[in-house]
Amino acid sequence: MKVKKILAMAISMVMCAAMFAGCGDTESGSDDGGKSAKSGAKDNGGADNDGGEDEVGDTGTADDGDYIYVGIINNDPNESGYRTANDKDLKATFCEENGFKADFYYSLKNDEQITAAQKFIQDEVDYLLLSAADTAGWDTVLQDAQDAGVRVILFDRTIDADESLYEASIVSDMAKEGQTAVDWLKGQGLSDYKIIHLQGVMGSAAQKGRSQALTDTAASDGWEIVEEQTAEWNAEKAQQIVQSVIDSGKDFNVIYAENDDMAKGAVAALDKANISHGVGKDVIVMGFDCNQWALKELLDGNWNYDGQCNPFQSSYIKDIIDKLENDETLSEKTIIMDEKGFDATTITQEDVDNYGI
């Protein structure tokens, strides 16, 4: 519980005492630097509607002062399998049994998230946990949080803000994810590269990181980007984009989709047009997030590559909160989740079981 809350309680008690006295009562009241976090198996459990959705955590009948109050701002849990797992993981950790009162807010829009952050500050949360929809625009509200004594912890995604405005970040290295995927694609040694690039929500850290490596390599190595559009992480939108390319008669041999759901939508369009895909077939299919069903597609040879994005961040966040509550100095400002890429020719059932979300 914050100092300001303790002071408020103390002031209230003094005022009550004074009030009773006035009524004739004669009885007196008695550090910095990127530590890598292992991804491994799903050891922390596992768990879009555009526009804001507010969910208030169930705090039962206990006094709120008994809990650490956290406001959690996240992207829509229906956005993807990754986000569903991420949200489930957070809810399993930040619950009454672990000493927390948690309120959740979801949106894919940065302005709505910022408004929610301002509301959480007004509500005097102890901690603001943030997975930002966009990397930009957070300086003012984070400064407001700091001025109000609200501690901010980033998770999942980075933002473009001074490090002094938040306590710590537990994030994926999206640029590394993209570079690992593009390095794999380059290693396939195709005679030419004609790529459909399906992007996530524009401006998000995941989109920017996964796009940049492909953009840079295409420019340096002469790869052709046949089509590049955002499908906003959505399978149906991805299917429509790929179907449009097929209908146009353009040649392509790679689908580079920035999440599994968009890869799934792309494959639906390929199947409808009887275009073969996967190992040894006409079109290479690449996704990200490592949903279990997506890794099974690799195992069956229907897809070629899937890049891991580890959603299980809550235990690291809780560890940071525990240290801050005990007035301990944090040894790392940034914790980067350990992640890898999977190749259809080498993936095993054990990989699917251990790494699929």
Side-chain angles (χ1 to χ4, degrees):
M1 185 165 60
K2 285 199 198 63
V3 172
K4 61 186 177 185
K5 293 182 179 178
I6 297 172
L7 288 174
M9 291 174 63
I11 292 169
S12 177
M13 291 173 66
V14 170
M15 292 177 64
C16 288
M19 192 166 60
F20 280 119
C23 292
D25 185 5
T26 58
E27 294 184 11
S28 59
S30 317
D31 286 301
D32 209 345
K35 179 180 177 183
S36 181
K38 290 183 67 177
S39 58
K42 297 171 287 186
D43 55 354
N44 293 328
D48 232 58
N49 300 321
D50 203 355
E53 176 184 347
D54 198 8
E55 176 179 320
V56 179
D58 181 10
T59 58
T61 59
D63 186 347
D64 288 351
D66 294 338
Y67 297 99
I68 297 171
Y69 186 14
V70 296
I72 302 176
I73 296 176
N74 204 348
N75 294 262
D76 189 340
N78 298 314
E79 168 197 83
S80 63
Y82 168 88
R83 191 63 56 187
T84 301
N86 180 249
D87 182 57
K88 184 177 179 181
D89 181 50
L90 291 166
K91 287 180 176 176
T93 296
F94 296 105
C95 58
E96 285 187 5
E97 291 79 3
N98 289 337
F100 294 96
K101 172 189 174 183
D103 286 351
F104 291 79
Y105 181 86
Y106 306 104
S107 178
L108 287 173
K109 295 181 178 179
N110 217 47
D111 57 343
E112 291 179 348
Q113 286 191 340
I114 289 171
T115 299
Q118 292 168 333
K119 178 64 164 58
F120 279 138
I121 294 168
Q122 294 170 3
D123 290 344
E124 296 187 325
V125 297
D126 298 308
Y127 292 87
L128 179 63
L129 312 184
L130 172 64
S131 176
D134 195 298
T135 58
W138 286 96
D139 297 77
T140 300
V141 70
L142 294 192
Q143 185 63 64
D144 291 344
Q146 191 172 85
D147 293 344
V150 175
R151 289 168 158 171
V152 177
I153 299 173
L154 308 181
F155 68 94
D156 176 45
R157 297 174 172 182
T158 57
I159 58 173
D160 298 329
D162 192 279
E163 287 187 346
S164 65
L165 295 176
Y166 55 88
E167 301 292 331
S169 61
I170 302 89
V171 294
S172 293
D173 187 338
M174 304 297 186
K176 183 179 178 182
E177 288 179 6
Q179 192 61 58
T180 300
V182 170
D183 287 347
W184 175 90
L185 181 56
K186 190 173 184 178
Q188 301 311 296
L190 304 182
S191 57
D192 59 357
Y193 287 81
K194 298 180 182 296
I195 304 166
I196 296 177
H197 181 195
L198 300 171
Q199 297 172 292
V201 173
M202 301 303 290
S204 66
Q207 177 274 314
K208 292 168 74 172
R210 294 169 189 172
S211 290
Q212 192 62 54
L214 180 61
T215 300
D216 292 345
T217 303
S220 63
D221 290 25
W223 294 359
E224 180 183 355
I225 305 298
V226 174
E227 188 69 37
E228 183 175 68
Q229 288 191 46
T230 176
E232 299 179 334
W233 313 122
N234 184 270
E236 289 75 18
K237 291 181 180 179
Q239 181 174 354
Q240 292 169 7
I241 292 169
V242 175
Q243 186 63 57
S244 178
V245 175
I246 294 170
D247 292 342
S248 73
K250 295 178 182 177
D251 290 333
F252 61 92
N253 58 359
V254 177
I255 301 286
Y256 183 96
E258 291 181 356
N259 81 341
D260 289 340
D261 291 88
M262 293 190 296
K264 183 179 182 179
V267 166
L270 297 180
D271 287 341
K272 185 176 179 180
N274 293 317
I275 298 173
S276 67
H277 51 84
V279 178
K281 302 297 176 59
D282 292 333
V283 178
I284 288 175
V285 177
M286 304 174 66
F288 289 86
D289 288 351
C290 290
N291 286 278
Q292 193 164 60
W293 56 264
L295 293 183
K296 184 65 164 55
E297 293 292 338
L298 264 71
L299 191 66
D300 292 342
N302 298 322
W303 293 16
N304 301 79
Y305 176 91
D306 206 25
Q308 185 186 21
C309 192
N310 189 344
F312 304 118
Q313 300 140 12
S314 68
S315 65
Y316 303 101
I317 301 171
K318 183 178 181 300
D319 181 61
I320 287 169
I321 291 176
D322 289 343
K323 288 178 179 177
L324 292 173
E325 289 294 301
N326 291 323
D327 295 322
E328 298 179 30
T329 300
L330 301 180
S331 57
E332 299 88 25
K333 185 82 173 182
T334 302
I335 296 175
I336 298 174
M337 305 302 286
D338 185 30
E339 296 164 338
K340 61 176 72 177
F342 292 93
D343 184 322
T345 63
T346 58
I347 194 170
T348 66
Q349 183 63 53
E350 184 178 5
D351 291 330
V352 176
D353 295 338
N354 287 341
Y355 294 97
I357 59 176

